[in-house]
């Protein structure tokens, strides 16, 4: 059991490649994109995921790439500043919690593995047989002892091995879109936010970025075709029609943008994360949704645990069972954050928006301030530490013996 194929070279895929290599295996990573995906959006690393990053020896590099956000400022439809709050509190971060651009984290993880791990870019798995023969779109067929699907919420590996994603995906009833736009507002480590009923527009610029990201979220269950970017842009424009503040000019900038990300805010729920010699990891197995703020941490911790359990067991079914046993309660807790958090991000009525802004404005002067903050950060903190990380070095020695 030495050759392991990983599908997906993002956070989960590069992380498990690192750990498998450390445990003495030979991982190969296949990635559909032509190279490591740059840019993206801000992601958080919290709780036990920070311990994992430290054990990988990259915590300093991650801290050096921190977004270093200062403030989140709320504007009304006419562009008047109505409230402001600390950016960490806005993002549900506290203490050592870190925020980094997804592309920066991906680059750090790729750099850590690129010399020791084989990467097959611009390719994708087309079939996996029970005895481990894998066929690809471009590369010749090869045999692997194990296959790990770390290819995201719309996982290709999951579709091939477990069936259509409609069986596993839970649409939380919102859409999200994000694009890189010029920083015309002159934002410096700041997010500017405008909320209208059922629709939120947010533009931010991080420490290392000369441009900005325009992020939109809105409540919708309208079906869409993930390949049809024109249709997705139309849905975004229709959803944001009539919204004031800077939204018309942001939409125009999105029209010119070189990147356009669009998806439903969804979760993946599965009864099991493995079948035969194939296991799923990260968003492919247990996406908690962007609204949870914990998808990156789940991917980092999941990679550590899955690699460790593979190294600790002689029989792969025991390793996969142990991976599920360790991760299930942690995943369940973190997935619960998604549907709750999203309600605070996209607010349904004018009154509720007015109330939220009022609270933000008054909070610094209120006697129960700490309790209010705890109500926001407490559940995230609890979920982020809801796993005890084993020390897998000993397990590795046992398997290798
Ligand atoms: C707008 C937005 C905001 C977010 N904000 C946060 C946040 O604040 N905090 C947080 O923790 N998380 C956040 N997330 C979630 C976070 O990005 C994911 O949970 C995390 O990246 C999961 O990593 P992953 O490696 O499992 O999947 P992904 O990052 O989705 O990576 C999947 C990889 O597989 C590749 N792939 C896809 N199909 C194939 C194929 N057929 N063959 C080979 N490769 C393939 C993809 O190109 C990609 O590289 C956010 C997500 C979004 C969309």
């Amino acid at each position: 059991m030495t050759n392991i194929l990983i599908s997906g070279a993002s956070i989960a895929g590069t992380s498990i490649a690192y750990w498998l290599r450390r445990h003495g295996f030979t991982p190969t990573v296949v990635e559909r994109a032509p190279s490591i995906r740059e840019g993206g959006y801000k992601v958080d690393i919290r709780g036990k995921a920070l311990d994992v990053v430290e054990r990988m020896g990259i915590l300093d590099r991650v801290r050096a790439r921190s977004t270093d956000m200062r403030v989140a400022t709320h504007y009304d439809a006419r562009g008047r500043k109505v409230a402001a709050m600390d950016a960490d509190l806005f993002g549900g971060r506290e203490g050592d919690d870190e925020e980094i651009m997804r592309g920066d984290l991906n680059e750090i993880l790729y750099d850590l593995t690129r010399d020791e791990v084989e990467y097959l870019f611009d390719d994708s798995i087309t079939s996996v047989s029970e005895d481990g023969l894998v066929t690809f779109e471009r590369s010749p067929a090869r045999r692997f002892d194990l296959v790990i699907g770390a290819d995201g919420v719309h996982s290709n590996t999951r579709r091939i091995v477990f069936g259509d994603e409609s069986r596993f995906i839970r649409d939380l009833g919102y859409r999200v879109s994000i694009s890189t736009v010029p920083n015309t507002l002159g934002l410096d480590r700041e997010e500017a936010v405008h909320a209208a009923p059922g629709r939120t527009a947010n533009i931010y610029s991080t420490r290392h970025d000369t441009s900005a990201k325009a992020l939109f979220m809105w409540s919708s269950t309208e079906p869409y075709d993930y390949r049809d970017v024109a249709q997705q842009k139309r849905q975004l424009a229709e959803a944001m029609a009539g919204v004031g503040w800077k939204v018309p000019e942001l939409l125009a900038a999105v029209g010119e943008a070189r990147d356009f990300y669009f998806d439903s805010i969804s979760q993946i729920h599965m009864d099991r994360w493995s079948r035969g010699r194939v296991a799923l990891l990260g968003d492919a197995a247990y996406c908690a949704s962007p609204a949870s703020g914990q998808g990156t941490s789940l991917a980092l911790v999941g990679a550590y645990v899955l690699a460790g359990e593979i190294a600790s067991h002689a029989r792969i079914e025991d390793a996969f069972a142990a991976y599920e046993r360790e991760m299930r309660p942690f995943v369940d807790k973190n997935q619960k954050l998604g549907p709750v958090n999203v309600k605070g991000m996209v607010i349904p009525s004018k009154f509720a928006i007015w109330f939220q802004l009022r609270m933000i404005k008054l909070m610094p002067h209120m006697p129960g301030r700490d309790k209010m903050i705890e109500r926001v950060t407490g559940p995230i903190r609890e979920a982020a530490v809801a796993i005890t990380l084993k020390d897998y070095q000993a397990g590795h020695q046992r398997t290798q013996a």
Side-chain angles (χ1 to χ4, degrees):
M1 197 170 75
T2 55
N3 290 317
I4 303 181
L5 178 66
I6 300 158
S7 175
S10 181
I11 311 306
T14 49
S15 297
I16 194 158
Y18 168 79
W19 286 113
L20 287 172
R21 195 70 207 98
R22 280 272 302 263
H23 290 300
F25 298 98
T26 310
T28 297
V29 184
V30 56
E31 165 60 50
R32 190 183 51 185
S35 60
I36 284 294
R37 295 170 66 189
E38 296 171 348
Y41 34 80
K42 307 190 267 101
V43 296
D44 301 317
I45 307 176
R46 291 191 185 81
K48 294 299 169 110
L50 284 166
D51 294 347
V52 169
V53 165
E54 190 163 25
R55 290 180 192 200
M56 295 173 100
I58 55 170
L59 187 55
D60 288 350
R61 266 178 275 174
V62 166
R63 296 256 186 249
R65 300 297 298 178
S66 167
T67 59
D68 202 21
M69 298 299 285
R70 294 181 303 115
V71 63
T73 313
H74 296 257
Y75 293 90
D76 70 9
R78 287 158 61 191
R80 288 174 305 195
K81 185 172 158 177
V82 283
M85 73 194 288
D86 176 76
D88 281 341
L89 186 54
F90 180 70
R93 288 177 300 280
E94 58 180 1
D96 288 340
D97 296 351
E98 193 53 271
E99 189 183 53
I100 183 170
M101 294 302 281
R102 191 180 85 150
D104 290 345
L105 178 59
N106 211 169
E107 200 182 299
I108 294 169
L109 293 166
Y110 176 58
D111 278 350
L112 198 62
T113 52
R114 61 193 303 171
D115 294 337
E116 293 196 305
V117 171
E118 179 189 22
Y119 279 88
L120 307 172
F121 285 105
D122 206 6
D123 209 348
S124 178
I125 298 173
T126 49
S127 72
V128 182
S129 73
E130 273 182 23
D131 64 353
L133 186 70
V134 178
T135 59
F136 297 93
E137 276 175 12
R138 287 153 43 86
S139 305
R142 276 163 72 173
R143 211 168 280 284
F144 291 93
D145 299 310
L146 299 179
V147 177
I148 294 167
D151 37 14
V153 61
H154 303 296
S155 167
N156 179 50
T157 313
R158 192 184 57 227
R159 184 183 51 74
I160 290 172
V161 178
F162 294 84
D164 192 74
E165 78 174 31
S166 57
R167 291 170 52 205
F168 310 113
I169 201 156
R170 199 174 291 172
D171 185 345
L172 299 184
Y174 300 84
R175 301 291 174 258
V176 59
S177 133
I178 184 155
S179 296
T180 306
V181 298
N183 186 5
T184 47
L185 299 188
L187 300 168
D188 170 22
R189 294 165 294 145
E190 176 178 358
E191 11 204 336
V193 188
H194 172 63
R199 295 162 291 178
T200 299
N202 176 331
I203 176 167
Y204 63 82
S205 187
T206 60
R207 173 156 60 132
H208 305 280
D209 202 354
T210 50
S211 55
K213 305 285 175 197
L215 184 143
F216 301 94
M217 290 173 85
W218 64 100
S219 65
S220 168
T221 49
E222 193 178 354
Y224 65 94
D225 180 344
Y226 72 93
R227 284 159 304 208
D228 188 347
V229 173
Q231 179 209 54
Q232 296 166 11
K233 285 191 173 171
R234 212 163 41 244
Q235 287 193 6
L236 166 65
E238 282 167 14
M240 292 294 150
V243 179
W245 183 55
K246 304 281 179 193
V247 168
E249 77 181 60
L250 288 177
L251 289 177
V254 169
E256 305 284 309
R258 59 180 154 82
D259 54 355
F260 179 73
Y261 172 88
F262 180 104
D263 208 348
S264 60
I265 296 196
S266 294
Q267 295 189 325
I268 295 295
H269 291 264
M270 302 181 78
D271 291 340
R272 15 180 345 176
W273 299 328
S274 68
R275 177 172 289 169
R277 57 180 74 231
V278 180
L280 300 175
L281 170 67
D283 276 8
Y286 33 78
C287 177
S289 87
S292 74
Q294 278 293 91
T296 304
S297 293
L298 286 178
L300 287 163
V301 172
Y304 175 80
V305 173
L306 178 54
E309 296 299 346
I310 291 171
S312 305
H313 291 86
R315 287 167 18 114
I316 195 55
E317 50 273 43
D318 295 339
F320 289 167
Y323 162 56
E324 289 220 25
R325 225 174 19 248
E326 292 298 310
M327 284 295 290
R328 272 285 170 194
F330 183 54
V331 164
D332 288 349
K333 270 210 148 144
N334 282 285
Q335 285 196 316
K336 287 205 174 83
L337 298 171
V340 177
N341 289 358
V342 76
K343 292 199 175 92
M345 296 166 151
V346 182
I347 303 170
S349 68
K350 265 190 173 170
F351 173 74
I353 292 169
W354 173 85
F355 185 74
Q356 192 198 52
L357 292 173
R358 197 85 197 130
M359 294 311 271
I360 293 172
K361 214 170 165 172
L362 296 178
M363 198 161 58
H365 317 289
M366 286 166 97
R369 179 179 183 267
D370 290 347
K371 271 198 183 136
M372 285 169 67
I373 292 174
E374 178 61 22
R375 285 225 319 256
V376 177
T377 55
I380 305 175
R381 184 193 326 118
E382 269 174 41
V385 297
I387 185 168
T388 305
L389 297 178
K390 292 187 197 168
D391 181 356
Y392 288 110
Q393 299 312 313
H396 165 55
Q397 301 300 331
R398 212 171 39 241
T399 312
Q400 298 298 302

